Amino acid sequence: MSAGPNRIAVIDGLRGYFLVLMMSSHLKFQDEALLLRLHHGEFSFVEDAQGFVFLSGLVIGLTYARILMKQGPRALTGKAFTRVGELYRLLLVTLFIVVGAAYLLPDGAQIWGWQLGRLAEAPLDHIAAAVSLLYQPAYLDILPQYMLYLAVAPFIVRATVAGHGLAALAASFALWMMTQMGLHLPAVDALGRLVAAADSNGTIRSYFNPLGWQFLFVCGVVLGAAVKCGRLDVASLLDRRRADLAIIAGLLVTVFAGYRVVHGLGDLGGTPTGDQFYRLLRREDLSLVYVVNFAAIAYVTAWLLRNAAEEGLPAPVALISRTLHYAFRRPFFVFLGQHSLQVYAFHVLVAYAIVALDWAGGPFDEMTKSLIILAAVGSLVIPAFWHSVNQQREAARARQVAALGQR
């Protein structure tokens, strides 16, 4: 279960950590569960989705740049579109399980009404839109988004390796800005009308705006590809001598933490400061607050992880740095991160199952809810182990074929 030679354990560990947070964020009970409040999102506008999307892009950049340099552009494109096909099959399986359960169970539409939307009311009428990726149940919408990103990733990697990474970032930023200005809305409206014409009473549904969230993914891809091909030196970017940048980023993190706490207490609304701040706070479009807060906390975290082994750091900084380095290298997190997309699809099924469990047997007391949450998180090992075994079997078959070919 250890990371392979081309994997970086701490990156896999971070992905696993964000998957655990996604699991906890998507568990819904009839009343609040105290254990679910153990989340860094209580003190920042950085949530699990931001980290997962960025790190996915980073891993794609590192992996695809290596494929491009060793095997060429054709292998790179083939790898990407093979992965898109795998994800589509994974999405279809998950989609048919959740929609099938809602259709077959007598109270399915009541249990999962808000998660499934119109698929709960009339699944057969709207399944075509869901299969076409235009109408997605809650928690599944990140998979079509990721498929879209994978399809364009080879072009971003090739541009970065060829020295045009900044141009790719500029184009991505321009697209992000267009979404902040609402320039994409006429196209969304036109697409919605087309769906309504083809599907009676149909519409499009996806919480995340892929044109906004692509900015994090592209930043990750460009960063990973630039590092892998040698166009960017991470050591100089995160060197201990860059402590001044880490301090500035840390101050930004502190400011956002203050805003988040006041926002959580409900004391920010109705004030001139709050009115101004909330104009920049649209999670579905990845608005400015989410981008800047993520950039600040990402740099601080990366700087601390990079310098965890350095001597002479101030004692509190050294403690935080080494604690983070230890935590994100735990085998549980690393193992989940190595099989992240399979784990993500499985967590959707678990989240839906717990909604049904709570509907049938709830409300539960605090201890029972805590045990359910811990069991849900622990169950994420199941798809990771299953995918790991399948990978080992495929690798063994590939070795057998290679051995036969050499005879």
Side-chain angles (χ1 to χ4, degrees):
M1 293 185 185
S2 60
N6 293 313
R7 303 197 71 107
I8 301 174
V10 73
I11 293 180
D12 284 329
L14 280 163
R15 294 175 89 190
Y17 167 75
F18 284 120
L19 284 164
V20 168
L21 290 186
M22 281 188 186
M23 180 82 268
S24 65
S25 297
H26 293 159
L27 296 181
K28 305 299 180 185
F29 295 94
Q30 294 179 41
D31 48 13
E32 185 180 31
L34 294 179
L35 188 58
L36 297 181
R37 296 188 69 89
L38 295 178
H39 192 298
H40 65 253
E42 295 289 323
F43 302 98
S44 72
F45 295 96
V46 174
E47 301 172 5
D48 32 81
Q50 287 145 284
F52 187 75
V53 170
F54 173 78
L55 288 171
S56 295
L58 181 65
V59 171
I60 287 294
L62 291 167
T63 304
Y64 283 17
R66 174 172 53 83
I67 293 173
L68 176 64
M69 292 185 292
K70 289 189 173 182
Q71 302 176 38
R74 180 173 295 182
L76 170 61
T77 304
K79 171 73 173 178
F81 281 93
T82 298
R83 189 69 163 154
V84 170
E86 292 174 358
L87 279 180
Y88 186 58
R89 291 191 292 273
L90 187 64
L91 183 145
L92 289 181
V93 169
T94 310
L95 176 68
F96 283 120
I97 289 174
V98 297
V99 174
Y103 182 72
L104 294 173
L105 291 179
D107 298 311
Q110 291 179 288
I111 297 171
W112 297 297
W114 78 264
Q115 285 98 341
L116 293 176
R118 295 181 183 181
L119 286 168
E121 303 164 5
L124 298 181
D125 291 342
H126 303 294
I127 193 67
V131 169
S132 302
L133 311 180
L134 296 174
Y135 192 93
Q136 290 300 308
Y139 317 143
L140 270 180
D141 48 356
I142 202 170
L143 291 180
Q145 182 176 334
Y146 194 68
M147 290 164 59
L148 175 64
Y149 297 164
L150 274 175
V152 300
F155 304 101
I156 301 169
V157 170
R158 291 176 65 179
T160 303
V161 172
H164 305 300
L166 288 178
L169 285 176
S172 175
F173 178 77
L175 189 57
W176 175 82
M177 275 298 300
M178 288 173 61
T179 66
Q180 307 310 304
M181 298 167 64
L183 296 179
H184 66 297
L185 294 178
V188 173
D189 182 62
L191 181 59
R193 288 199 301 270
L194 285 174
V195 172
D199 178 2
S200 177
N201 199 33
T203 185
I204 57 177
R205 185 196 196 203
S206 178
Y207 177 77
F208 294 110
N209 180 349
L211 300 181
W213 280 76
Q214 55 78 29
F215 185 53
L216 282 183
F217 182 84
V218 173
C219 286
V221 173
V222 171
L223 178 61
V227 168
K228 193 66 180 180
C229 72
R231 292 190 176 276
L232 180 65
D233 181 12
V234 173
S236 64
L237 192 64
L238 300 174
D239 190 86
R240 182 177 172 180
R241 290 170 294 182
R242 299 282 190 174
D244 52 346
L245 292 180
I247 291 171
I248 293 170
L251 290 173
L252 275 173
V253 170
T254 304
V255 170
F256 280 116
Y259 268 94
R260 179 62 183 86
V261 171
V262 176
H263 164 73
L265 294 173
D267 295 333
L268 196 57
T271 66
T273 300
D275 293 342
Q276 187 74 15
F277 183 77
Y278 285 134
R279 292 192 184 100
L280 306 173
L281 193 68
R282 294 193 316 278
R283 183 171 180 257
E284 61 272 22
D285 291 326
L286 192 72
S287 59
L288 186 63
V289 167
Y290 291 99
V291 172
V292 176
N293 197 181
F294 177 78
I297 205 168
Y299 186 82
V300 170
T301 303
W303 188 89
L304 289 170
L305 291 172
R306 172 68 175 76
N307 294 284
E310 291 289 326
E311 298 293 336
L313 291 174
V317 176
L319 177 62
I320 296 171
S321 179
R322 288 163 191 165
T323 300
L324 290 175
H325 193 267
Y326 176 83
F328 294 135
R329 291 177 63 89
R330 293 308 84 209
F332 178 71
F333 288 143
V334 172
F335 188 48
L336 295 185
Q338 291 170 356
H339 310 279
S340 58
L341 293 172
Q342 289 74 22
V343 171
Y344 182 88
F346 181 82
H347 107 280
V348 174
L349 301 179
V350 175
Y352 276 67
I354 288 176
V355 169
L357 177 65
D358 187 59
W359 187 87
F364 298 114
D365 59 46
E366 202 61 49
M367 178 60 73
T368 303
K369 285 185 288 188
S370 296
L371 291 174
I372 292 172
I373 292 165
L374 292 175
V377 170
S379 73
L380 298 179
V381 172
I382 296 171
F385 181 76
W386 170 79
H387 188 241
S388 175
V389 169
N390 282 343
Q391 284 183 320
Q392 291 171 14
R393 287 174 179 169
E394 290 174 4
R397 283 196 293 267
R399 287 194 296 270
Q400 290 176 352
V401 170
L404 290 172
Q406 292 175 356
R407 289 181 181 177

